[in-house]
Amino acid sequence: GAGGAGGAGGAGGGKTDKERLLAGEILSRPGSGSEPYKVKFMHGVYSCTCPGWRFQSRGIDKRTCRHLKDILGDAAEMKRTFTRSISGGGAGA
């Protein structure tokens, strides 16, 4: 059988990654307080208003949180935020 958590199975019902946001799209996710957190995709960067995302010491394009993982999926977030040291790229201005 097909194993899916909460999905009414069938063709065309799911996406490769759980869900992708369109440019400028904002989704709300419940938080611990009374106001929901806002997850958005703007200028090529996913972000969230939760403290878990805001207070990371990584670059904004490499930050993640449980709300982004909930929307995009763990595998997609792992791939998106994976960093590898790149040596030798110093030619710039």
Side-chain angles (χ1 to χ4, degrees):
K15 299 179 183 177
T16 311
D17 297 332
K18 287 178 90 174
E19 198 174 331
R20 291 185 190 207
L21 299 176
L22 301 174
E25 187 175 5
I26 300 172
L27 297 178
S28 295
R29 286 295 182 258
S32 56
S34 59
E35 298 230 2
Y37 295 124
K38 306 280 190 224
V39 176
K40 56 186 156 181
F41 182 64
M42 304 201 74
H43 307 290
V45 176
Y46 286 98
S47 64
C48 184
T49 58
C50 77
W53 187 90
R54 293 183 328 180
F55 297 116
Q56 287 180 44
S57 59
R58 307 173 84 183
I60 61 169
D61 60 327
K62 298 297 180 187
R63 295 180 190 181
T64 190
C65 67
R66 74 174 103 168
H67 310 102
L68 279 167
K69 289 177 183 176
D70 179 52
I71 293 167
L72 302 173
D74 288 338
E77 273 300 89
M78 176 92 64
K79 189 180 347 177
R80 187 182 71 78
T81 60
F82 179 75
T83 56
R84 174 179 285 160
S85 295
I86 301 173
S87 52

